[in-house]
Amino acid sequence: MTIQLLSAAEIDSTQLTSFLERFFGSTKADFLRKHGAWLHGSQENRWVLLVDGVLAGYCAVIPTQVCVEGKELSAIWWVDIIVAPEFRGQGLQSHFDQKLQQDNLLKLGFPNELAANIHRKHQWGVREDLQVRLCPLRPLNVSQVRTANSWRGVLLKLGALALTPVTTAFRLWLHVRESKQVFSKDHPAAEVLADIVKQTPKQAFSTTCRDAAYFQHRFLDAPYAEQLAWFFYGPAEAPTHYLVTRTLQHHGMTVTRILDYYGDLSKEKPLRELLLAAAVDADRKKSSQLTVMVTLPFMEAIFKAAGFVFKATARFCWLSSDPAVMESFAKPFFFTLADSDNDEIS
C-alpha cells in the first residue's frame, strides 16, 4: 500500500471537490474550490491523503496570530479532518497528526461534543463555557424553529408564535431608539480598524491579533465582503469601537451574524449601542435572527439585555507544548464568529 500526503495544490481540484461533496455537501465543496486558498491562507494549509493513488482523506487548518498574555504567538485553527469510511481502521489519521505536529504551533479549535471528548484523551485543554447567543427578530423564521420536527417542532412553533408580538414590539422600539452615537461605513480602511485596536487599553484576556493585515485578509478581501456591514462608535474621525455583521441567505431565510466586535470591552455603553445599531440594520434587511459568540462571562448580561435571549453551548479546545500557554487558555479569552470557520459557509 502506497500512501502519499500532498497539498491541495498538488491534486486535481475537480477530484478534491468531488471528494468533499460526499462529506460537506455541494455548497461548501464549491466554496472551497473557489475560495479555499483564501479561507486557509494558502492551498498549502489543505492536505490530502492518497492511498494507491485514490483520494482517501482530507485535513485543513487556518493559520492565525493570537495575543496571549502580552505575547504574539503563531497558531492554527484545526477545522476539518476526514478519512473516507472505506479507508478507516488503517491508521491513516496518524499521517495528518504527524503533519500537524511538525511545526509545534499552538493548536486551537471549536469542537463538537464528540470531538471534545477525543481531544481530552489526547491531552488537549477543553472548555465548555462558551455561548452562541441568538436574538430572534422574526421567531417563526428562525432556522431552529423551521427545521424542528415531531413534538419538539410543535412546541417550538407554538413558542415562536407566542413570542412574535414581543419581537414585533422590540423591532418597532429599535427604530425609535436608534443610536445617534453609532455610524456605519462601507469598505472601511484596514488601517482605521487597526487604529481602534491599537488605541484600546490593554485588556485582561487572550484574543486574536487584529492588525491591518488581519482586517484586510479576513474581511475586506473576503469573497463575501459585500455582505458585510460595519458599525462604529465614537467620533467619526477617531472611533473607539467597531462591530461587523454579515447578512446572508441560510436555508432559504435571511440571517445576520455578528462576526466581530472590538474596543474597550469593559465599557458597556459602546457595545450596547453597537448591538442595537446592528439589530436595526438586520431588521431593515428582513433578517429572521442575529447570532453572536460570547466567550467573556461578564458580557452575557449585556447581550441578554440587547435581545439575545436564547443561547447554545459552544466548546473550545487548545494544545501547546508550553505549560504556561496551556494554563493561559484556562483564563479569560475573547474569540468571535470571525475566528476559525465559525462563520459557516452558506
Side-chain angles (χ1 to χ4, degrees):
M1 182 171 66
T2 302
I3 299 175
Q4 296 174 279
L5 195 154
L6 305 174
S7 75
E10 297 176 275
I11 68 165
D12 178 67
S13 63
T14 302
Q15 181 186 10
L16 177 56
T17 300
S18 178
F19 179 83
L20 295 180
E21 282 180 350
R22 292 178 58 190
F23 305 97
F24 295 150
S26 60
T27 300
K28 180 173 179 177
D30 189 57
F31 182 92
L32 292 174
R33 178 181 63 83
K34 296 176 181 176
H35 309 297
W38 167 79
L39 180 63
H40 297 285
S42 165
Q43 294 286 47
E44 299 300 319
N45 293 318
R46 306 172 67 204
W47 312 308
V48 297
L49 275 177
L50 300 182
V51 177
D52 295 331
V54 178
L55 185 49
Y58 172 82
C59 183
V61 300
I62 299 173
T64 188
Q65 297 291 121
V66 290
C67 299
V68 181
E69 297 189 343
K71 297 180 181 178
E72 185 171 324
L73 303 178
S74 295
I76 53 174
W77 292 103
W78 187 4
V79 296
D80 288 320
I81 185 166
I82 300 166
V83 175
E86 60 269 27
F87 290 97
R88 291 173 188 168
Q90 301 178 33
L92 296 181
Q93 183 172 329
S94 64
H95 293 271
F96 288 137
D97 293 338
Q98 291 169 15
K99 177 70 174 177
L100 287 163
Q101 297 294 340
Q102 282 181 2
D103 295 329
N104 197 32
L105 295 174
L106 169 64
K107 298 166 190 65
L108 308 171
F110 291 101
N112 58 30
E113 186 174 4
L114 175 61
N117 291 332
I118 295 173
H119 286 323
R120 283 193 184 94
K121 294 178 181 178
H122 290 85
Q123 285 72 56
W124 287 62
V126 177
R127 292 179 57 170
E128 298 183 305
D129 56 343
L130 286 63
Q131 298 178 1
V132 174
R133 283 193 164 265
L134 185 148
C135 173
L137 295 176
R138 293 167 175 82
L140 288 168
N141 291 338
V142 169
S143 57
Q144 292 89 332
V145 175
R146 294 176 64 245
T147 59
N149 297 313
S150 67
W151 62 269
R152 181 174 181 271
V154 173
L155 291 177
L156 284 175
K157 288 177 174 62
L158 287 173
L161 187 62
L163 188 60
T164 295
V166 177
T167 57
T168 300
F170 175 67
R171 291 190 288 113
L172 291 172
W173 174 80
L174 283 173
H175 294 274
V176 173
R177 171 62 177 76
E178 192 165 358
S179 176
K180 300 297 187 293
Q181 296 172 289
V182 173
F183 65 94
S184 60
K185 185 176 183 180
D186 294 333
H187 311 296
E191 291 74 19
V192 171
L193 297 162
D195 282 344
I196 293 175
V197 178
K198 290 177 185 176
Q199 294 166 17
T200 299
K202 184 178 179 181
Q203 303 184 90
F205 50 72
S206 299
T207 190
T208 298
C209 298
R210 295 166 170 82
D211 58 12
Y214 166 80
F215 287 113
Q216 188 67 47
H217 168 74
R218 179 60 186 84
F219 300 107
L220 305 180
D221 291 341
Y224 45 74
E226 295 302 318
Q227 296 176 344
L228 304 181
W230 293 90
F231 304 92
F232 298 88
Y233 178 91
E237 65 279 7
T240 61
H241 295 70
Y242 73 82
L243 182 149
V244 56
T245 66
R246 179 187 176 195
T247 299
L248 66 156
Q249 294 296 306
H250 185 63
H251 297 312
M253 300 305 300
T254 304
V255 301
T256 298
R257 301 169 183 161
I258 296 176
L259 298 191
D260 194 29
Y261 49 99
Y262 205 77
D264 185 349
L265 299 183
S266 68
K267 295 183 177 180
E268 180 177 336
K269 183 178 179 180
L271 179 57
R272 185 176 65 246
E273 297 295 317
L274 286 167
L275 290 174
L276 294 176
V280 169
D281 183 69
D283 182 47
R284 287 176 176 155
K285 294 172 179 174
K286 308 300 182 184
S287 284
S288 61
Q289 64 195 61
L290 288 88
T291 53
V292 65
M293 177 173 281
V294 182
T295 63
L296 294 171
F298 74 85
M299 299 179 72
E300 294 174 14
I302 300 173
F303 282 95
K304 189 174 180 179
F308 292 80
V309 292
F310 297 111
K311 62 180 180 179
T313 298
R315 299 168 184 83
F316 173 76
C317 62
W318 70 100
L319 182 66
S320 172
S321 59
D322 185 340
V325 175
M326 290 298 293
E327 184 178 343
S328 293
F329 282 100
K331 301 173 184 177
F333 59 77
F334 176 67
F335 290 120
T336 65
L337 291 179
D339 293 304
S340 188
D341 60 346
N342 287 309
D343 179 23
E344 63 185 271
I345 296 158
S346 182

